[in-house]
Amino acid sequence: MPPIYKPTSGPEDWKQFLAKPDLHWKTGYSAKSLAYCWEGADGLPSEVATAIRNQWGAEPEPLLIIPEYKVPLPGGATDSQNDAFMFCRIGAQTAAVMIEGKVNEPFGPSIGEWFKQPSPGKIERLQHLCTLLGVSYPPAPELRYQLFHRSASAIIEADRFKADLAIMIVHSFSRTRAWHEDFAAFTAELGAPGETGGLPRAISVPGRPFHLGWVTGDAEYLTR
């Protein structure tokens, strides 16, 4: 398909871009909560804007936001389908930002589960992800595969857009920070603190600065 996008008229427009709309579009789940939160924001959700402002001391200006953004990866036909992609200005810099929405959904299979009896395509893909993120191959089996390809998506698109920064944000609406321990284990592997609300730099990633963090959305969007 050609890279042509049209503006949304409201949060319900996000449903059509889901891989399985009838399964994933439910009140209290991440896809719908994220859509209503981002569509209802004046610019950016306050928790996202605050995390960026605290890290760089400048007000973020969203230039482009695309729901359900696919990033091709080597080693197979399956893309990394990110919940949202944002290209923004942060002061004098630009940033490619991937957003991963969560409520109580896990980060999918672990590396050990996904990489069991790996095909040549999976080997190629995982080697590529590890190279982008600057971590040893193969990585620890308990780490979550989804966090690898979501983070790589930000780095890949930052390169394509010639952005100064690559950022991956987990935008969680969980009241109990469900699955935060998996996120913290992943950020530790990349040499970045996994605290909530911050966007520390991952020191393992070579080249362009890559930052990642976890922010918590308003509970009101769990009822939309």
Side-chain angles (χ1 to χ4, degrees), residues 9 27-28 37 48 52 86 94 96 102 157 165 189 201 209 217-218:
S9 59
T27 297
C37 177
V48 175
I52 293 173
M86 174 174 67
T94 57
K102 289 295 178 198
E157 293 307 277
L165 305 166
E189 183 74 8
R201 181 173 180 177
D218 197 312

CSV table of all heavy atoms in Angstrom, one decimal, residues 9 27-28 37 48 52 86 94 96 102 157 165 189 201 209 217-218:
chain,number,residue,atom,x,y,z
A,9,SER,N,-11.0,11.2,12.6
A,9,SER,CA,-12.1,12.1,13.1
A,9,SER,C,-12.5,11.8,14.6
A,9,SER,O,-13.4,12.5,15.1
A,9,SER,CB,-13.4,11.9,12.2
A,9,SER,OG,-13.8,10.6,12.2
A,27,THR,N,-13.6,-2.1,25.7
A,27,THR,CA,-13.4,-1.2,26.8
A,27,THR,C,-12.6,-1.8,27.9
A,27,THR,O,-12.8,-3.0,28.3
A,27,THR,CB,-14.8,-0.8,27.4
A,27,THR,OG1,-15.6,-0.2,26.4
A,27,THR,CG2,-14.7,0.1,28.6
A,28,GLY,N,-11.7,-1.1,28.5
A,28,GLY,CA,-10.8,-1.6,29.5
A,28,GLY,C,-9.5,-2.2,29.0
A,28,GLY,O,-8.7,-2.6,29.8
A,37,CYS,N,-7.4,8.2,24.9
A,37,CYS,CA,-6.5,9.1,25.6
A,37,CYS,C,-5.8,10.0,24.6
A,37,CYS,O,-5.8,11.3,24.9
A,37,CYS,CB,-5.5,8.3,26.4
A,37,CYS,SG,-4.2,9.2,27.2
A,48,VAL,N,2.8,11.8,28.9
A,48,VAL,CA,3.8,11.7,27.9
A,48,VAL,C,4.6,13.0,27.8
A,48,VAL,O,5.8,13.0,27.7
A,48,VAL,CB,3.1,11.3,26.6
A,48,VAL,CG1,4.2,11.3,25.5
A,48,VAL,CG2,2.5,9.9,26.7
A,52,ILE,N,8.7,13.7,28.6
A,52,ILE,CA,9.6,14.3,27.6
A,52,ILE,C,10.2,15.6,28.1
A,52,ILE,O,11.4,15.9,28.0
A,52,ILE,CB,8.9,14.5,26.2
A,52,ILE,CG1,8.6,13.1,25.6
A,52,ILE,CG2,9.8,15.3,25.3
A,52,ILE,CD1,7.7,13.2,24.4
A,86,MET,N,4.9,8.5,16.6
A,86,MET,CA,4.9,9.9,16.7
A,86,MET,C,6.2,10.5,16.2
A,86,MET,O,7.3,10.0,16.7
A,86,MET,CB,4.6,10.4,18.1
A,86,MET,CG,4.7,12.0,18.2
A,86,MET,SD,4.2,12.6,19.8
A,86,MET,CE,5.5,11.9,20.9
A,94,THR,N,14.6,16.6,16.8
A,94,THR,CA,13.5,15.9,16.4
A,94,THR,C,13.6,14.4,16.9
A,94,THR,O,14.7,14.0,17.2
A,94,THR,CB,13.3,15.8,14.9
A,94,THR,OG1,14.5,15.2,14.3
A,94,THR,CG2,13.1,17.2,14.3
A,96,ALA,N,11.8,10.3,16.8
A,96,ALA,CA,10.9,9.2,16.3
A,96,ALA,C,10.5,8.4,17.6
A,96,ALA,O,11.4,7.9,18.3
A,96,ALA,CB,11.6,8.3,15.3
A,102,LYS,N,-0.6,-0.4,27.1
A,102,LYS,CA,-0.8,-1.6,27.9
A,102,LYS,C,-1.9,-1.3,29.0
A,102,LYS,O,-2.1,-0.2,29.4
A,102,LYS,CB,0.4,-2.0,28.7
A,102,LYS,CG,1.5,-2.6,27.8
A,102,LYS,CD,1.1,-3.9,27.2
A,102,LYS,CE,2.2,-4.5,26.3
A,102,LYS,NZ,1.7,-5.5,25.4
A,157,GLU,N,13.1,3.7,12.6
A,157,GLU,CA,12.4,4.9,12.0
A,157,GLU,C,13.1,6.2,12.3
A,157,GLU,O,13.0,7.1,11.5
A,157,GLU,CB,10.9,4.9,12.6
A,157,GLU,CG,10.1,3.8,12.1
A,157,GLU,CD,10.1,3.7,10.6
A,157,GLU,OE1,9.3,4.4,9.9
A,157,GLU,OE2,10.9,2.8,10.0
A,165,LEU,N,16.7,11.8,17.8
A,165,LEU,CA,16.5,10.9,18.9
A,165,LEU,C,15.6,9.7,18.5
A,165,LEU,O,14.7,9.9,17.7
A,165,LEU,CB,15.8,11.6,20.1
A,165,LEU,CG,16.6,12.9,20.6
A,165,LEU,CD1,15.6,13.7,21.5
A,165,LEU,CD2,17.8,12.5,21.4
A,189,GLU,N,18.9,-4.6,31.0
A,189,GLU,CA,19.7,-5.2,29.9
A,189,GLU,C,20.3,-4.2,29.0
A,189,GLU,O,21.5,-4.3,28.5
A,189,GLU,CB,18.9,-6.2,29.1
A,189,GLU,CG,19.6,-7.0,28.1
A,189,GLU,CD,20.5,-8.1,28.7
A,189,GLU,OE1,20.4,-8.3,29.9
A,189,GLU,OE2,21.3,-8.7,27.9
A,201,ARG,N,18.3,7.3,29.0
A,201,ARG,CA,19.0,6.8,27.8
A,201,ARG,C,19.5,5.4,28.0
A,201,ARG,O,20.0,5.0,29.1
A,201,ARG,CB,20.2,7.7,27.4
A,201,ARG,CG,20.9,7.3,26.1
A,201,ARG,CD,21.9,8.3,25.7
A,201,ARG,NE,22.6,7.8,24.5
A,201,ARG,CZ,23.5,8.5,23.8
A,201,ARG,NH1,23.9,9.7,24.2
A,201,ARG,NH2,24.1,8.0,22.7
A,209,PRO,N,21.1,8.5,20.1
A,209,PRO,CA,20.6,8.3,21.4
A,209,PRO,C,19.2,7.6,21.4
A,209,PRO,O,18.3,8.0,20.6
A,209,PRO,CB,20.5,9.7,22.0
A,209,PRO,CG,21.5,10.5,21.2
A,209,PRO,CD,21.5,10.0,19.8
A,217,GLY,N,-1.2,6.3,32.3
A,217,GLY,CA,-2.3,7.1,31.8
A,217,GLY,C,-3.5,7.2,32.8
A,217,GLY,O,-3.5,6.4,33.8
A,218,ASP,N,-4.4,8.1,32.6
A,218,ASP,CA,-5.5,8.4,33.4
A,218,ASP,C,-6.5,7.2,33.4
A,218,ASP,O,-6.9,6.7,32.4
A,218,ASP,CB,-6.2,9.6,33.0
A,218,ASP,CG,-7.2,10.2,34.1
A,218,ASP,OD1,-8.0,9.4,34.6
A,218,ASP,OD2,-7.1,11.4,34.3
